[in-house]
PDB file of all heavy atoms in Angstrom:
ATOM      1  N   ALA A   1      -7.967   2.238  -0.794  1.00 93.00           N
ATOM      2  CA  ALA A   1      -9.032   1.243  -0.595  1.00 93.00           C
ATOM      3  C   ALA A   1      -8.445  -0.163  -0.442  1.00 93.00           C
ATOM      4  O   ALA A   1      -8.900  -0.944   0.395  1.00 93.00           O
ATOM      5  CB  ALA A   1     -10.024   1.283  -1.762  1.00 93.00           C
ATOM      6  N   ALA A   2      -7.412  -0.476  -1.222  1.00 90.00           N
ATOM      7  CA  ALA A   2      -6.785  -1.800  -1.138  1.00 90.00           C
ATOM      8  C   ALA A   2      -6.101  -1.985   0.212  1.00 90.00           C
ATOM      9  O   ALA A   2      -6.171  -3.070   0.810  1.00 90.00           O
ATOM     10  CB  ALA A   2      -5.770  -1.971  -2.270  1.00 90.00           C
ATOM     11  N   ILE A   3      -5.469  -0.941   0.724  1.00 90.00           N
ATOM     12  CA  ILE A   3      -4.825  -1.018   2.040  1.00 90.00           C
ATOM     13  C   ILE A   3      -5.882  -1.236   3.126  1.00 90.00           C
ATOM     14  O   ILE A   3      -5.726  -2.081   4.007  1.00 90.00           O
ATOM     15  CB  ILE A   3      -4.002   0.263   2.330  1.00 90.00           C
ATOM     16  CG1 ILE A   3      -2.770   0.303   1.429  1.00 90.00           C
ATOM     17  CG2 ILE A   3      -3.588   0.332   3.804  1.00 90.00           C
ATOM     18  CD1 ILE A   3      -2.010   1.623   1.475  1.00 90.00           C
ATOM     19  N   SER A   4      -6.954  -0.476   3.035  1.00 89.00           N
ATOM     20  CA  SER A   4      -8.039  -0.578   4.020  1.00 89.00           C
ATOM     21  C   SER A   4      -8.657  -1.982   4.005  1.00 89.00           C
ATOM     22  O   SER A   4      -8.894  -2.581   5.057  1.00 89.00           O
ATOM     23  CB  SER A   4      -9.104   0.476   3.705  1.00 89.00           C
ATOM     24  OG  SER A   4     -10.165   0.374   4.608  1.00 89.00           O
ATOM     25  N   GLU A   5      -8.876  -2.496   2.812  1.00 88.00           N
ATOM     26  CA  GLU A   5      -9.464  -3.840   2.662  1.00 88.00           C
ATOM     27  C   GLU A   5      -8.530  -4.901   3.246  1.00 88.00           C
ATOM     28  O   GLU A   5      -8.962  -5.808   3.958  1.00 88.00           O
ATOM     29  CB  GLU A   5      -9.718  -4.124   1.174  1.00 88.00           C
ATOM     30  CG  GLU A   5     -10.510  -5.387   0.901  1.00 88.00           C
ATOM     31  CD  GLU A   5     -10.748  -5.578  -0.590  1.00 88.00           C
ATOM     32  OE1 GLU A   5     -11.193  -4.616  -1.245  1.00 88.00           O
ATOM     33  OE2 GLU A   5     -10.463  -6.693  -1.073  1.00 88.00           O
ATOM     34  N   ALA A   6      -7.241  -4.781   2.956  1.00 85.00           N
ATOM     35  CA  ALA A   6      -6.260  -5.745   3.469  1.00 85.00           C
ATOM     36  C   ALA A   6      -6.146  -5.639   4.990  1.00 85.00           C
ATOM     37  O   ALA A   6      -6.024  -6.658   5.681  1.00 85.00           O
ATOM     38  CB  ALA A   6      -4.900  -5.512   2.814  1.00 85.00           C
ATOM     39  N   ARG A   7      -6.213  -4.419   5.509  1.00 84.00           N
ATOM     40  CA  ARG A   7      -6.118  -4.202   6.960  1.00 84.00           C
ATOM     41  C   ARG A   7      -7.288  -4.869   7.680  1.00 84.00           C
ATOM     42  O   ARG A   7      -7.134  -5.393   8.781  1.00 84.00           O
ATOM     43  CB  ARG A   7      -6.087  -2.707   7.258  1.00 84.00           C
ATOM     44  CG  ARG A   7      -5.787  -2.398   8.717  1.00 84.00           C
ATOM     45  CD  ARG A   7      -5.788  -0.907   9.044  1.00 84.00           C
ATOM     46  NE  ARG A   7      -4.770  -0.173   8.311  1.00 84.00           N
ATOM     47  CZ  ARG A   7      -4.999   0.920   7.587  1.00 84.00           C
ATOM     48  NH1 ARG A   7      -6.205   1.408   7.472  1.00 84.00           N
ATOM     49  NH2 ARG A   7      -4.007   1.526   6.962  1.00 84.00           N
ATOM     50  N   ASP A   8      -8.448  -4.843   7.036  1.00 85.00           N
ATOM     51  CA  ASP A   8      -9.650  -5.423   7.635  1.00 85.00           C
ATOM     52  C   ASP A   8      -9.585  -6.943   7.736  1.00 85.00           C
ATOM     53  O   ASP A   8     -10.397  -7.553   8.418  1.00 85.00           O
ATOM     54  CB  ASP A   8     -10.901  -5.013   6.844  1.00 85.00           C
ATOM     55  CG  ASP A   8     -11.204  -3.523   6.984  1.00 85.00           C
ATOM     56  OD1 ASP A   8     -10.642  -2.892   7.913  1.00 85.00           O
ATOM     57  OD2 ASP A   8     -11.973  -3.004   6.158  1.00 85.00           O
ATOM     58  N   LYS A   9      -8.616  -7.552   7.056  1.00 80.00           N
ATOM     59  CA  LYS A   9      -8.509  -9.012   7.069  1.00 80.00           C
ATOM     60  C   LYS A   9      -7.724  -9.540   8.265  1.00 80.00           C
ATOM     61  O   LYS A   9      -7.476 -10.727   8.366  1.00 80.00           O
ATOM     62  CB  LYS A   9      -7.888  -9.514   5.767  1.00 80.00           C
ATOM     63  CG  LYS A   9      -8.807  -9.276   4.592  1.00 80.00           C
ATOM     64  CD  LYS A   9      -8.281  -9.864   3.317  1.00 80.00           C
ATOM     65  CE  LYS A   9      -9.308  -9.613   2.221  1.00 80.00           C
ATOM     66  NZ  LYS A   9      -8.850  -9.998   0.926  1.00 80.00           N
ATOM     67  N   GLY A  10      -7.313  -8.658   9.174  1.00 74.00           N
ATOM     68  CA  GLY A  10      -6.697  -9.128  10.411  1.00 74.00           C
ATOM     69  C   GLY A  10      -5.209  -8.936  10.513  1.00 74.00           C
ATOM     70  O   GLY A  10      -4.679  -7.916  10.095  1.00 74.00           O
ATOM     71  N   ASP A  11      -4.543  -9.927  11.088  1.00 72.00           N
ATOM     72  CA  ASP A  11      -3.122  -9.893  11.442  1.00 72.00           C
ATOM     73  C   ASP A  11      -2.257  -9.329  10.306  1.00 72.00           C
ATOM     74  O   ASP A  11      -2.088  -9.962   9.273  1.00 72.00           O
ATOM     75  CB  ASP A  11      -2.657 -11.297  11.822  1.00 72.00           C
ATOM     76  CG  ASP A  11      -1.213 -11.333  12.301  1.00 72.00           C
ATOM     77  OD1 ASP A  11      -0.625 -10.250  12.476  1.00 72.00           O
ATOM     78  OD2 ASP A  11      -0.684 -12.442  12.493  1.00 72.00           O
ATOM     79  N   LEU A  12      -1.680  -8.132  10.532  1.00 70.00           N
ATOM     80  CA  LEU A  12      -0.888  -7.462   9.498  1.00 70.00           C
ATOM     81  C   LEU A  12       0.514  -8.049   9.356  1.00 70.00           C
ATOM     82  O   LEU A  12       1.159  -7.878   8.328  1.00 70.00           O
ATOM     83  CB  LEU A  12      -0.780  -5.964   9.802  1.00 70.00           C
ATOM     84  CG  LEU A  12      -2.098  -5.185   9.829  1.00 70.00           C
ATOM     85  CD1 LEU A  12      -1.831  -3.721  10.124  1.00 70.00           C
ATOM     86  CD2 LEU A  12      -2.867  -5.332   8.538  1.00 70.00           C
ATOM     87  N   SER A  13       0.993  -8.774  10.366  1.00 71.00           N
ATOM     88  CA  SER A  13       2.360  -9.301  10.312  1.00 71.00           C
ATOM     89  C   SER A  13       2.521 -10.396   9.265  1.00 71.00           C
ATOM     90  O   SER A  13       3.607 -10.624   8.766  1.00 71.00           O
ATOM     91  CB  SER A  13       2.801  -9.813  11.686  1.00 71.00           C
ATOM     92  OG  SER A  13       2.014 -10.934  12.045  1.00 71.00           O
ATOM     93  N   GLU A  14       1.438 -11.073   8.940  1.00 76.00           N
ATOM     94  CA  GLU A  14       1.521 -12.145   7.938  1.00 76.00           C
ATOM     95  C   GLU A  14       0.524 -11.916   6.801  1.00 76.00           C
ATOM     96  O   GLU A  14      -0.001 -12.859   6.227  1.00 76.00           O
ATOM     97  CB  GLU A  14       1.257 -13.508   8.597  1.00 76.00           C
ATOM     98  CG  GLU A  14       2.338 -13.889   9.589  1.00 76.00           C
ATOM     99  CD  GLU A  14       2.091 -15.254  10.224  1.00 76.00           C
ATOM    100  OE1 GLU A  14       1.297 -16.027   9.669  1.00 76.00           O
ATOM    101  OE2 GLU A  14       2.722 -15.526  11.253  1.00 76.00           O
ATOM    102  N   ASN A  15       0.264 -10.661   6.493  1.00 80.00           N
ATOM    103  CA  ASN A  15      -0.745 -10.322   5.498  1.00 80.00           C
ATOM    104  C   ASN A  15      -0.054  -9.833   4.216  1.00 80.00           C
ATOM    105  O   ASN A  15       0.340  -8.679   4.109  1.00 80.00           O
ATOM    106  CB  ASN A  15      -1.670  -9.247   6.077  1.00 80.00           C
ATOM    107  CG  ASN A  15      -2.872  -8.964   5.210  1.00 80.00           C
ATOM    108  OD1 ASN A  15      -2.812  -9.108   3.993  1.00 80.00           O
ATOM    109  ND2 ASN A  15      -3.964  -8.549   5.838  1.00 80.00           N
ATOM    110  N   ALA A  16       0.079 -10.734   3.255  1.00 85.00           N
ATOM    111  CA  ALA A  16       0.765 -10.416   2.000  1.00 85.00           C
ATOM    112  C   ALA A  16       0.015  -9.339   1.204  1.00 85.00           C
ATOM    113  O   ALA A  16       0.638  -8.506   0.548  1.00 85.00           O
ATOM    114  CB  ALA A  16       0.929 -11.675   1.157  1.00 85.00           C
ATOM    115  N   GLU A  17      -1.312  -9.354   1.272  1.00 86.00           N
ATOM    116  CA  GLU A  17      -2.098  -8.344   0.544  1.00 86.00           C
ATOM    117  C   GLU A  17      -1.802  -6.945   1.084  1.00 86.00           C
ATOM    118  O   GLU A  17      -1.675  -5.990   0.329  1.00 86.00           O
ATOM    119  CB  GLU A  17      -3.600  -8.630   0.689  1.00 86.00           C
ATOM    120  CG  GLU A  17      -4.099  -9.746  -0.199  1.00 86.00           C
ATOM    121  CD  GLU A  17      -5.600  -9.949  -0.025  1.00 86.00           C
ATOM    122  OE1 GLU A  17      -6.352  -8.955  -0.105  1.00 86.00           O
ATOM    123  OE2 GLU A  17      -6.004 -11.107   0.176  1.00 86.00           O
ATOM    124  N   TYR A  18      -1.701  -6.857   2.403  1.00 87.00           N
ATOM    125  CA  TYR A  18      -1.408  -5.569   3.036  1.00 87.00           C
ATOM    126  C   TYR A  18      -0.018  -5.085   2.617  1.00 87.00           C
ATOM    127  O   TYR A  18       0.159  -3.936   2.233  1.00 87.00           O
ATOM    128  CB  TYR A  18      -1.495  -5.697   4.563  1.00 87.00           C
ATOM    129  CG  TYR A  18      -1.186  -4.420   5.297  1.00 87.00           C
ATOM    130  CD1 TYR A  18      -2.128  -3.397   5.377  1.00 87.00           C
ATOM    131  CD2 TYR A  18       0.043  -4.229   5.918  1.00 87.00           C
ATOM    132  CE1 TYR A  18      -1.858  -2.218   6.048  1.00 87.00           C
ATOM    133  CE2 TYR A  18       0.333  -3.043   6.596  1.00 87.00           C
ATOM    134  CZ  TYR A  18      -0.620  -2.043   6.652  1.00 87.00           C
ATOM    135  OH  TYR A  18      -0.345  -0.871   7.316  1.00 87.00           O
ATOM    136  N   ASP A  19       0.970  -5.987   2.664  1.00 88.00           N
ATOM    137  CA  ASP A  19       2.333  -5.627   2.266  1.00 88.00           C
ATOM    138  C   ASP A  19       2.376  -5.167   0.811  1.00 88.00           C
ATOM    139  O   ASP A  19       3.024  -4.174   0.482  1.00 88.00           O
ATOM    140  CB  ASP A  19       3.287  -6.817   2.461  1.00 88.00           C
ATOM    141  CG  ASP A  19       3.520  -7.135   3.928  1.00 88.00           C
ATOM    142  OD1 ASP A  19       3.247  -6.270   4.791  1.00 88.00           O
ATOM    143  OD2 ASP A  19       3.971  -8.262   4.204  1.00 88.00           O
ATOM    144  N   ALA A  20       1.661  -5.886  -0.056  1.00 89.00           N
ATOM    145  CA  ALA A  20       1.633  -5.533  -1.478  1.00 89.00           C
ATOM    146  C   ALA A  20       0.967  -4.174  -1.687  1.00 89.00           C
ATOM    147  O   ALA A  20       1.434  -3.349  -2.488  1.00 89.00           O
ATOM    148  CB  ALA A  20       0.910  -6.610  -2.279  1.00 89.00           C
ATOM    149  N   ALA A  21      -0.124  -3.941  -0.956  1.00 90.00           N
ATOM    150  CA  ALA A  21      -0.836  -2.664  -1.088  1.00 90.00           C
ATOM    151  C   ALA A  21       0.027  -1.506  -0.584  1.00 90.00           C
ATOM    152  O   ALA A  21       0.051  -0.426  -1.191  1.00 90.00           O
ATOM    153  CB  ALA A  21      -2.162  -2.718  -0.335  1.00 90.00           C
ATOM    154  N   LYS A  22       0.755  -1.709   0.516  1.00 91.00           N
ATOM    155  CA  LYS A  22       1.642  -0.656   1.038  1.00 91.00           C
ATOM    156  C   LYS A  22       2.784  -0.387   0.056  1.00 91.00           C
ATOM    157  O   LYS A  22       3.190   0.755  -0.140  1.00 91.00           O
ATOM    158  CB  LYS A  22       2.212  -1.059   2.417  1.00 91.00           C
ATOM    159  CG  LYS A  22       1.203  -1.013   3.540  1.00 91.00           C
ATOM    160  CD  LYS A  22       0.643   0.363   3.813  1.00 91.00           C
ATOM    161  CE  LYS A  22       1.592   1.200   4.625  1.00 91.00           C
ATOM    162  NZ  LYS A  22       1.043   2.537   4.942  1.00 91.00           N
ATOM    163  N   GLU A  23       3.295  -1.448  -0.563  1.00 93.00           N
ATOM    164  CA  GLU A  23       4.365  -1.287  -1.543  1.00 93.00           C
ATOM    165  C   GLU A  23       3.851  -0.507  -2.763  1.00 93.00           C
ATOM    166  O   GLU A  23       4.526   0.370  -3.290  1.00 93.00           O
ATOM    167  CB  GLU A  23       4.887  -2.662  -1.974  1.00 93.00           C
ATOM    168  CG  GLU A  23       6.172  -2.588  -2.759  1.00 93.00           C
ATOM    169  CD  GLU A  23       6.771  -3.960  -3.032  1.00 93.00           C
ATOM    170  OE1 GLU A  23       6.898  -4.769  -2.101  1.00 93.00           O
ATOM    171  OE2 GLU A  23       7.111  -4.187  -4.200  1.00 93.00           O
ATOM    172  N   ALA A  24       2.623  -0.838  -3.201  1.00 93.00           N
ATOM    173  CA  ALA A  24       2.012  -0.127  -4.330  1.00 93.00           C
ATOM    174  C   ALA A  24       1.817   1.343  -3.978  1.00 93.00           C
ATOM    175  O   ALA A  24       2.031   2.228  -4.819  1.00 93.00           O
ATOM    176  CB  ALA A  24       0.677  -0.774  -4.708  1.00 93.00           C
ATOM    177  N   GLN A  25       1.446   1.602  -2.722  1.00 95.00           N
ATOM    178  CA  GLN A  25       1.258   2.990  -2.283  1.00 95.00           C
ATOM    179  C   GLN A  25       2.586   3.749  -2.325  1.00 95.00           C
ATOM    180  O   GLN A  25       2.648   4.879  -2.799  1.00 95.00           O
ATOM    181  CB  GLN A  25       0.684   3.034  -0.865  1.00 95.00           C
ATOM    182  CG  GLN A  25       0.472   4.462  -0.374  1.00 95.00           C
ATOM    183  CD  GLN A  25       0.034   4.529   1.075  1.00 95.00           C
ATOM    184  OE1 GLN A  25       0.467   3.735   1.900  1.00 95.00           O
ATOM    185  NE2 GLN A  25      -0.835   5.483   1.370  1.00 95.00           N
ATOM    186  N   ALA A  26       3.644   3.126  -1.851  1.00 95.00           N
ATOM    187  CA  ALA A  26       4.958   3.779  -1.852  1.00 95.00           C
ATOM    188  C   ALA A  26       5.403   4.084  -3.281  1.00 95.00           C
ATOM    189  O   ALA A  26       5.920   5.173  -3.565  1.00 95.00           O
ATOM    190  CB  ALA A  26       5.982   2.888  -1.151  1.00 95.00           C
ATOM    191  N   HIS A  27       5.194   3.122  -4.178  1.00 96.00           N
ATOM    192  CA  HIS A  27       5.561   3.315  -5.590  1.00 96.00           C
ATOM    193  C   HIS A  27       4.756   4.469  -6.201  1.00 96.00           C
ATOM    194  O   HIS A  27       5.305   5.327  -6.902  1.00 96.00           O
ATOM    195  CB  HIS A  27       5.323   2.004  -6.358  1.00 96.00           C
ATOM    196  CG  HIS A  27       5.642   2.083  -7.809  1.00 96.00           C
ATOM    197  ND1 HIS A  27       6.929   2.180  -8.289  1.00 96.00           N
ATOM    198  CD2 HIS A  27       4.825   2.109  -8.903  1.00 96.00           C
ATOM    199  CE1 HIS A  27       6.896   2.258  -9.614  1.00 96.00           C
ATOM    200  NE2 HIS A  27       5.627   2.221 -10.001  1.00 96.00           N
ATOM    201  N   LEU A  28       3.453   4.494  -5.916  1.00 96.00           N
ATOM    202  CA  LEU A  28       2.573   5.539  -6.444  1.00 96.00           C
ATOM    203  C   LEU A  28       2.986   6.911  -5.921  1.00 96.00           C
ATOM    204  O   LEU A  28       3.081   7.877  -6.691  1.00 96.00           O
ATOM    205  CB  LEU A  28       1.114   5.241  -6.062  1.00 96.00           C
ATOM    206  CG  LEU A  28       0.087   6.282  -6.503  1.00 96.00           C
ATOM    207  CD1 LEU A  28      -0.040   6.278  -8.031  1.00 96.00           C
ATOM    208  CD2 LEU A  28      -1.261   6.003  -5.878  1.00 96.00           C
ATOM    209  N   GLU A  29       3.248   7.015  -4.623  1.00 96.00           N
ATOM    210  CA  GLU A  29       3.626   8.301  -4.038  1.00 96.00           C
ATOM    211  C   GLU A  29       4.958   8.796  -4.596  1.00 96.00           C
ATOM    212  O   GLU A  29       5.159   9.992  -4.803  1.00 96.00           O
ATOM    213  CB  GLU A  29       3.664   8.216  -2.512  1.00 96.00           C
ATOM    214  CG  GLU A  29       2.291   7.991  -1.880  1.00 96.00           C
ATOM    215  CD  GLU A  29       1.239   9.044  -2.228  1.00 96.00           C
ATOM    216  OE1 GLU A  29       1.595  10.229  -2.413  1.00 96.00           O
ATOM    217  OE2 GLU A  29       0.052   8.687  -2.315  1.00 96.00           O
ATOM    218  N   THR A  30       5.871   7.863  -4.865  1.00 96.00           N
ATOM    219  CA  THR A  30       7.151   8.234  -5.475  1.00 96.00           C
ATOM    220  C   THR A  30       6.929   8.809  -6.875  1.00 96.00           C
ATOM    221  O   THR A  30       7.516   9.825  -7.252  1.00 96.00           O
ATOM    222  CB  THR A  30       8.089   7.008  -5.544  1.00 96.00           C
ATOM    223  OG1 THR A  30       8.327   6.546  -4.215  1.00 96.00           O
ATOM    224  CG2 THR A  30       9.405   7.343  -6.219  1.00 96.00           C
ATOM    225  N   LYS A  31       6.059   8.155  -7.634  1.00 95.00           N
ATOM    226  CA  LYS A  31       5.762   8.614  -8.994  1.00 95.00           C
ATOM    227  C   LYS A  31       5.084   9.990  -8.973  1.00 95.00           C
ATOM    228  O   LYS A  31       5.416  10.870  -9.771  1.00 95.00           O
ATOM    229  CB  LYS A  31       4.876   7.580  -9.704  1.00 95.00           C
ATOM    230  CG  LYS A  31       4.739   7.818 -11.181  1.00 95.00           C
ATOM    231  CD  LYS A  31       4.109   6.633 -11.868  1.00 95.00           C
ATOM    232  CE  LYS A  31       4.087   6.855 -13.363  1.00 95.00           C
ATOM    233  NZ  LYS A  31       3.513   5.744 -14.090  1.00 95.00           N
ATOM    234  N   ILE A  32       4.152  10.176  -8.027  1.00 95.00           N
ATOM    235  CA  ILE A  32       3.464  11.462  -7.894  1.00 95.00           C
ATOM    236  C   ILE A  32       4.482  12.557  -7.557  1.00 95.00           C
ATOM    237  O   ILE A  32       4.477  13.636  -8.155  1.00 95.00           O
ATOM    238  CB  ILE A  32       2.341  11.390  -6.831  1.00 95.00           C
ATOM    239  CG1 ILE A  32       1.158  10.563  -7.387  1.00 95.00           C
ATOM    240  CG2 ILE A  32       1.873  12.778  -6.407  1.00 95.00           C
ATOM    241  CD1 ILE A  32       0.079  10.242  -6.369  1.00 95.00           C
ATOM    242  N   ALA A  33       5.376  12.274  -6.607  1.00 95.00           N
ATOM    243  CA  ALA A  33       6.388  13.255  -6.217  1.00 95.00           C
ATOM    244  C   ALA A  33       7.305  13.595  -7.392  1.00 95.00           C
ATOM    245  O   ALA A  33       7.676  14.761  -7.592  1.00 95.00           O
ATOM    246  CB  ALA A  33       7.208  12.722  -5.040  1.00 95.00           C
ATOM    247  N   LYS A  34       7.661  12.576  -8.181  1.00 92.00           N
ATOM    248  CA  LYS A  34       8.531  12.803  -9.341  1.00 92.00           C
ATOM    249  C   LYS A  34       7.842  13.718 -10.361  1.00 92.00           C
ATOM    250  O   LYS A  34       8.439  14.656 -10.876  1.00 92.00           O
ATOM    251  CB  LYS A  34       8.895  11.460  -9.985  1.00 92.00           C
ATOM    252  CG  LYS A  34       9.824  11.603 -11.167  1.00 92.00           C
ATOM    253  CD  LYS A  34      10.173  10.256 -11.771  1.00 92.00           C
ATOM    254  CE  LYS A  34      11.048  10.456 -12.997  1.00 92.00           C
ATOM    255  NZ  LYS A  34      11.175   9.268 -13.800  1.00 92.00           N
ATOM    256  N   LEU A  35       6.555  13.438 -10.645  1.00 92.00           N
ATOM    257  CA  LEU A  35       5.815  14.270 -11.608  1.00 92.00           C
ATOM    258  C   LEU A  35       5.680  15.700 -11.097  1.00 92.00           C
ATOM    259  O   LEU A  35       5.827  16.655 -11.868  1.00 92.00           O
ATOM    260  CB  LEU A  35       4.441  13.667 -11.891  1.00 92.00           C
ATOM    261  CG  LEU A  35       4.429  12.377 -12.709  1.00 92.00           C
ATOM    262  CD1 LEU A  35       3.011  11.843 -12.846  1.00 92.00           C
ATOM    263  CD2 LEU A  35       5.047  12.574 -14.082  1.00 92.00           C
ATOM    264  N   LYS A  36       5.420  15.858  -9.790  1.00 93.00           N
ATOM    265  CA  LYS A  36       5.315  17.211  -9.221  1.00 93.00           C
ATOM    266  C   LYS A  36       6.645  17.944  -9.366  1.00 93.00           C
ATOM    267  O   LYS A  36       6.669  19.140  -9.652  1.00 93.00           O
ATOM    268  CB  LYS A  36       4.894  17.141  -7.750  1.00 93.00           C
ATOM    269  CG  LYS A  36       3.427  16.837  -7.567  1.00 93.00           C
ATOM    270  CD  LYS A  36       3.042  16.842  -6.091  1.00 93.00           C
ATOM    271  CE  LYS A  36       1.543  16.668  -5.931  1.00 93.00           C
ATOM    272  NZ  LYS A  36       1.142  16.718  -4.510  1.00 93.00           N
ATOM    273  N   GLY A  37       7.752  17.228  -9.189  1.00 90.00           N
ATOM    274  CA  GLY A  37       9.071  17.822  -9.357  1.00 90.00           C
ATOM    275  C   GLY A  37       9.310  18.257 -10.792  1.00 90.00           C
ATOM    276  O   GLY A  37       9.850  19.344 -11.043  1.00 90.00           O
TER     277      GLY A  37
END
């Protein structure tokens, strides 16, 4: 939802919220993969 909201705010090249949300997603997916392992 945070990625979608940030994406809706326009230009992704200078969108700090989008970058932060993508980074949070990567961190979350890494943690999920680790727990599954």
